[in-house]
Amino acid sequence: MQIAQNSVAAFHYTLTDDEGQVIDSSEGREPLTYLHGSGHIVPGLEKQMEGRSAGDRFTADVAPEEGYGVHHAELMQEVPRAAFQGVEDIQPGMQFQGNGPQGQINVTVTKVENDVVFIDANHPLAGKTLHFAVEVTDVRDATAEELAHGHVHGAGGHHH
């Protein structure tokens, strides 16, 4: 069976950046399982999963536009340290949740200078080309319940 719209696919992966550094991997864990066509994985990888079968191994390079998006300079801001009440030691790399015009946002601290904290609301992988090494482990038809709910149930999926 091949991966197609409304099929359930399971795969192992290793995600690296342009320098070959591992960003994420399913090694030592269960394969990632998703409902194909539901937008649960980045679009560029989902497109390259189409037509694959269990046992297929391949590499997929995903441009920022089909991954976590391009980096937007306007999502970088300077915030007074006083905005981080209750946090004694603010360091680059720390992540916080805040409120933006469209609701909750996640921000990463990029720099701290005196009483100013520099934050970035871009996804940490925005602007980066993603390099996946993939092994498809299983492909099956989605159940009617999975299609109705828009996600995988059971092993590797959601439990109600």
Side-chain angles (χ1 to χ4, degrees):
M1 179 174 188
Q2 293 183 325
I3 298 173
Q5 182 73 27
N6 296 331
S7 63
V8 172
F11 66 99
H12 279 293
Y13 68 93
T14 299
L15 170 60
T16 56
D17 62 16
D18 285 336
E19 289 75 43
Q21 297 283 17
V22 174
I23 297 169
D24 192 17
S25 176
S26 64
E27 187 176 330
R29 300 185 308 209
E30 291 295 314
L32 178 64
T33 303
Y34 76 102
L35 177 61
H36 191 77
S38 62
H40 290 276
I41 63 174
V42 294
L45 180 58
E46 190 166 56
K47 285 179 186 175
Q48 294 185 53
M49 295 289 285
E50 185 92 21
R52 306 287 182 162
S53 302
D56 285 357
R57 293 174 184 254
F58 65 98
T59 58
D61 296 327
V62 177
E65 296 80 4
E66 292 194 298
Y68 290 97
V70 296
H71 192 271
H72 296 283
E74 65 271 16
L75 294 179
M76 300 179 71
Q77 297 180 355
E78 298 176 22
V79 179
R81 182 186 288 268
F84 295 86
Q85 294 178 351
V87 182
E88 294 293 318
D89 186 28
I90 302 171
Q91 296 292 324
M94 293 176 86
Q95 295 184 326
F96 295 92
Q97 280 190 335
N99 292 315
Q102 280 84 33
Q104 273 201 332
I105 57 169
N106 295 316
V107 299
T108 302
V109 174
T110 58
K111 183 169 65 170
V112 179
E113 284 183 358
N114 301 319
D115 289 335
V116 178
V117 178
F118 296 78
I119 60 170
D120 186 350
N122 285 285
H123 186 282
L125 296 177
K128 296 186 186 298
T129 298
L130 309 173
H131 306 280
F132 290 92
V134 175
E135 177 188 0
V136 180
T137 58
D138 189 46
V139 182
R140 65 172 174 79
D141 289 324
T143 66
E145 184 179 40
E146 288 170 329
L147 293 173
H149 290 192
H151 57 252
V152 177
H153 292 174
H158 187 79
H159 303 279
H160 289 278

